[in-house]
Amino acid sequence: MSNGPVLALVGATGAVGTVMIDILNGRESVPWGEIRLIASARSAGKKITVRGEELTVLALAPEVFDGVHVAMFDVPDEISAQWAPIAAERGAVAVDNSGAFRMDPEVPLVVPEVNADKVRQRPRGIIANPNCTTLSMMAAVGALHREFGLTELVVASYQAVSGAGVAGVERLYAELSAVAGKQVGVTAGDVRAALTEAGLSQEDSPFPAPLVLNVVPWAGSLKQDGWSSEELKVRNESRKILGIPGLKVSATCVRVPVVTTHSLAVHAVFEREVTVEQAHKVFAAQPSVVLVDDPAAGVFPTPADVVGGDPTYVGRVRQALDFPNTLDFFVCGDNLRKGAALNTYEIAEALAPEFS
Amino acid sequence: MSNGPVLALVGATGAVGTVMIDILNGRESVPWGEIRLIASARSAGKKITVRGEELTVLALAPEVFDGVHVAMFDVPDEISAQWAPIAAERGAVAVDNSGAFRMDPEVPLVVPEVNADKVRQRPRGIIANPNCTTLSMMAAVGALHREFGLTELVVASYQAVSGAGVAGVERLYAELSAVAGKQVGVTAGDVRAALTEAGLSQEDSPFPAPLVLNVVPWAGSLKQDGWSSEELKVRNESRKILGIPGLKVSATCVRVPVVTTHSLAVHAVFEREVTVEQAHKVFAAQPSVVLVDDPAAGVFPTPADVVGGDPTYVGRVRQALDFPNTLDFFVCGDNLRKGAALNTYEIAEALAPEFS
């Protein structure tokens, strides 16, 4: 490759890493002089073509970070917790997509459209990428906040199974095959009976209940007072990204039988009055937001239609009838792209000029 | 049959009418001296066994209401609009499950656990049964309102396809078979392509977008300022049932690939402070509410688990972290039972003593 900073991708062979390589390949141009693919020892030696060049996956080790300017981590929390500081020690800026550093006060939590300036303030040499559920609405919510001053968010999610990784996707496909053609779901127990009959035990599922022909009001792990980790992430990460420590947030996170793309029903209260027309203008002016809002013509975002796309899709924008300065809207974002790989890459891109 | 008032069921052969006959058959005892089954001329003459007695379905006509004390209507809006007043003229109290009379100021809108006393105030001789989405949360919300004084509701729904009738159920099953074993849903267009390949055109669907591996933020028809009829029903009917004309409500109604049972994520604000423990006590004291709330043990309501049941199932009860006097919770109710047939029947039961 030509001159330019060195980019590393840790977790190159995982679910999000694979989407990251898609994104790298899809870019018209990239600012990098070299790209290094890194994974566990098990995947080392694999050949992957990136932008026309066949690269060999390197095994994760301290010395692979020597000479790296920006290291993107798409790995589980515990791997990031151990290795991002090592990459930073070796001189790289670590951009971490795990939950390990998001609420660390010395680690900025960045959505480039909202707070790109924060990439320069990184005392630990680490920048965190938000949780996919928070990210799915942040470009839209951040754009409105800039204009109208956000004070409250009430959010209900419709989260895709790929948020739980490849195991989540495979489980939903298996459940789908088990019930197809069976006319189940009308009476109690039917779905569970069909899964049992097909040899799918609940204990083997990454989810706590069947997902086919069902919705499951649970994502993540149990935290204080009945809140799930996912719900607290939506609250705490939204506050940090938007820079509103006192933002009032209530979220209910629900898993739905969708493969990829998270959706959220958002009730957002602002300091100033806001009309649907004003909100439409704000969304139209935000390059990473696509407005899909013409219900008279049956036009609104659905996960099946927006999956694979980079933007945040917004529709069903309504001025609340009974709440002042309040909008209700529905937003869809691909949880593997903007919700994970894409935002991480956009952070890396925002860093590149420093090293060019 | 023995002495007792005469009950008529109009729409006895429809989807809700069939559930109504199930309910009649499942009751330990009924207060009725006679039950008359009524349907369109096309279904007249059909034999249906109710409580061990074979009944012949009668064709809808003014004279079938002669001698009837309570006539339950499980038919489309336009049939109710025409025939409920005829039944009332002939001396029956019409209990109507359609949307034709719900917001008529001279027609009470009744959920027996919440406002059973209203059955006596019926100047038109008609009592309305609420919309299924509103009904799915009303027993739970009403119980909390009595104790803590409700002021605001922010609701996001996860609505089953049977809310759109038999055509909705058949469509979801057909879509399910079209995608099963196909590993679609990961990239854009896949779901629509699989449905097209299986010969399922979108125009033939009762829904405006695919529902399998998808969620659709639309139910009902377009009303003012981008709100759907379903969302306005949740607002206006909640106000009327609870007797709070100034109740602040925002609802976003979303269809999900579930056959039967509506779910709602509810954010409820009260006049007085309310803890999770207090809410649990209120729910435990309400016979028609079942508390399913132990997330540490993986216990919360899901539509697949509660379908076929009469109660309203409530779980995920949390005190809002940032909003005073506020609870967030998740509620599931069978939209064909409590959401339709059961509540209608409970209204009829509440009327029976008048005629005994």
Side-chain angles (χ1 to χ4, degrees):
Chain A
M1 285 201 183
S2 60
N3 289 332
V6 179
L7 177 75
L9 167 56
V10 186
T13 57
V16 178
T18 304
V19 175
M20 185 67 85
I21 289 167
D22 269 3
I23 289 169
L24 282 164
N25 285 331
R27 268 350 210 198
E28 216 165 282
S29 71
V30 298
W32 317 108
E34 182 193 335
I35 293 172
R36 279 186 209 168
L37 304 183
I38 301 168
S40 66
R42 208 161 39 100
S43 295
K46 245 182 118 168
K47 312 273 187 197
I48 298 175
T49 300
V50 180
R51 300 189 70 78
E53 200 174 332
E54 192 182 67
L55 304 180
T56 303
V57 176
L58 308 172
L60 183 58
E63 53 276 15
V64 296
F65 295 106
D66 290 343
V68 170
H69 297 92
V70 179
M72 305 186 294
F73 282 79
D74 288 317
V75 293
D77 289 15
E78 60 280 13
I79 311 288
S80 280
Q82 185 189 345
W83 287 91
I86 293 172
E89 250 168 54
R90 299 256 162 175
V93 181
V95 183
D96 181 32
N97 185 33
S98 86
F101 299 100
R102 286 178 193 143
M103 295 314 295
D104 184 328
E106 296 199 305
V107 172
L109 185 64
V110 175
V111 180
E113 300 95 312
V114 180
N115 61 349
D117 54 305
K118 291 285 186 295
V119 299
R120 310 265 168 265
Q121 297 151 35
R122 43 172 206 254
R124 297 192 61 181
I126 302 171
I127 297 170
N129 190 63
N131 163 269
C132 52
T133 309
T134 314
L135 256 176
S136 299
M137 67 171 168
M138 230 359 91
V141 169
L144 292 173
H145 170 54
R146 263 199 307 277
E147 288 299 315
F148 308 108
L150 186 70
T151 60
E152 302 180 14
L153 278 179
V154 180
V155 172
S157 75
Y158 303 72
Q159 295 184 221
V161 296
S162 59
V166 173
V169 177
E170 286 176 353
R171 176 72 190 196
L172 178 57
Y173 284 136
E175 291 190 359
L176 207 80
S177 296
V179 304
K182 285 225 180 96
Q183 306 268 323
V184 302
V186 183
T187 60
D190 272 351
V191 171
R192 285 188 191 266
L195 300 187
T196 303
E197 198 187 308
L200 294 170
S201 84
Q202 195 57 52
E203 297 74 53
D204 295 340
S205 173
F207 307 111
L211 257 169
V212 72
L213 297 175
N214 206 16
V215 302
V216 178
W218 192 258
S221 56
L222 180 64
K223 298 289 174 186
Q224 81 232 38
D225 301 326
W227 292 91
S228 71
S229 56
E230 192 84 356
E231 289 158 353
L232 295 183
K233 283 175 186 174
V234 170
R235 173 179 179 253
N236 298 332
E237 296 185 17
S238 294
R239 289 174 156 202
K240 185 169 176 177
I241 297 160
L242 297 167
I244 318 172
L247 182 66
K248 295 179 175 187
V249 184
S250 268
T252 297
C253 288
V254 179
R255 193 78 70 180
V256 295
V258 164
V259 179
T260 304
T261 294
H262 289 350
S263 306
L264 295 99
V266 181
H267 175 83
V269 184
F270 300 91
E271 285 164 14
R272 294 178 283 286
E273 207 196 329
V274 46
T275 64
V276 170
E277 203 186 345
Q278 287 171 313
H280 278 186
K281 270 186 199 161
V282 166
F283 291 138
Q286 173 75 39
S288 60
V289 169
V290 173
L291 187 66
V292 191
D293 195 11
D294 185 3
V299 171
F300 35 71
T302 84
D305 288 320
V306 314
V307 61
D310 286 345
T312 299
Y313 297 82
V314 184
R316 298 298 330 279
V317 184
R318 292 149 291 156
Q319 195 166 7
L321 296 168
D322 305 320
F323 299 86
N325 308 346
T326 302
L327 292 176
D328 290 277
F329 54 94
F330 192 77
V331 52
C332 294
D334 186 319
N335 54 304
L336 300 181
R337 292 183 75 90
K338 183 63 183 176
L342 179 65
N343 196 71
T344 302
Y345 184 69
E346 288 170 342
I347 296 171
E349 265 187 343
L351 289 163
E354 269 189 61
F355 308 108
S356 298
Chain B
M1 283 200 181
S2 59
N3 287 333
V6 178
L7 177 74
L9 168 56
V10 185
T13 57
V16 178
T18 305
V19 174
M20 185 68 87
I21 289 167
D22 269 3
I23 288 169
L24 282 165
N25 285 330
R27 269 347 214 199
E28 216 165 281
S29 70
V30 298
W32 316 109
E34 181 192 335
I35 294 174
R36 277 185 210 169
L37 304 184
I38 301 166
S40 64
R42 206 162 40 103
S43 296
K46 244 181 120 170
K47 311 273 186 197
I48 297 175
T49 300
V50 180
R51 301 187 70 78
E53 200 174 332
E54 193 182 69
L55 304 180
T56 302
V57 176
L58 308 172
L60 183 57
E63 53 276 14
V64 294
F65 295 106
D66 290 343
V68 169
H69 297 91
V70 179
M72 306 185 294
F73 282 78
D74 288 317
V75 293
D77 290 14
E78 61 278 13
I79 310 288
S80 280
Q82 185 188 345
W83 286 91
I86 294 171
E89 250 167 54
R90 299 255 161 176
V93 181
V95 183
D96 180 33
N97 186 35
S98 87
F101 299 100
R102 287 180 191 142
M103 296 314 295
D104 184 326
E106 296 198 305
V107 172
L109 186 64
V110 175
V111 181
E113 300 95 312
V114 179
N115 61 349
D117 54 305
K118 291 285 187 293
V119 300
R120 309 264 167 267
Q121 298 151 33
R122 43 171 207 254
R124 296 192 61 181
I126 301 172
I127 298 170
N129 190 62
N131 164 268
C132 53
T133 309
T134 313
L135 256 178
S136 298
M137 66 171 172
M138 232 356 94
V141 168
L144 291 172
H145 169 55
R146 263 198 309 276
E147 288 299 316
F148 307 109
L150 187 70
T151 60
E152 301 180 13
L153 277 179
V154 181
V155 172
S157 75
Y158 302 73
Q159 296 185 220
V161 296
S162 59
V166 173
V169 176
E170 284 175 355
R171 177 71 190 196
L172 178 57
Y173 284 136
E175 291 190 0
L176 206 82
S177 295
V179 304
K182 285 225 181 97
Q183 307 268 321
V184 302
V186 184
T187 60
D190 272 352
V191 171
R192 284 189 192 265
L195 300 187
T196 303
E197 198 186 308
L200 293 170
S201 85
Q202 195 57 54
E203 297 75 55
D204 295 339
S205 172
F207 307 111
L211 257 169
V212 73
L213 296 174
N214 207 15
V215 302
V216 178
W218 191 259
S221 57
L222 181 63
K223 298 290 173 183
Q224 81 231 41
D225 301 325
W227 292 91
S228 71
S229 57
E230 192 83 356
E231 290 158 351
L232 295 183
K233 284 175 185 174
V234 170
R235 172 178 181 257
N236 298 332
E237 296 185 16
S238 294
R239 290 174 156 203
K240 184 169 178 178
I241 296 161
L242 296 166
I244 318 173
L247 182 67
K248 295 178 173 187
V249 184
S250 269
T252 297
C253 289
V254 179
R255 193 78 69 179
V256 295
V258 164
V259 180
T260 304
T261 294
H262 289 349
S263 307
L264 295 101
V266 181
H267 175 83
V269 183
F270 300 92
E271 285 164 15
R272 294 179 283 286
E273 208 196 328
V274 46
T275 65
V276 170
E277 203 186 344
Q278 287 172 313
H280 277 186
K281 268 186 201 161
V282 166
F283 292 138
Q286 174 76 40
S288 60
V289 169
V290 172
L291 186 66
V292 191
D293 196 11
D294 185 3
V299 171
F300 35 71
T302 84
D305 288 321
V306 314
V307 60
D310 287 344
T312 299
Y313 296 81
V314 184
R316 300 297 330 280
V317 185
R318 292 147 291 156
Q319 196 166 5
L321 295 168
D322 304 321
F323 299 85
N325 308 347
T326 303
L327 292 176
D328 291 277
F329 54 94
F330 192 78
V331 53
C332 294
D334 186 319
N335 54 303
L336 300 181
R337 293 184 73 90
K338 183 62 185 176
L342 179 64
N343 196 72
T344 302
Y345 184 69
E346 288 170 342
I347 295 171
E349 264 188 345
L351 289 164
E354 271 189 59
F355 307 107
S356 299

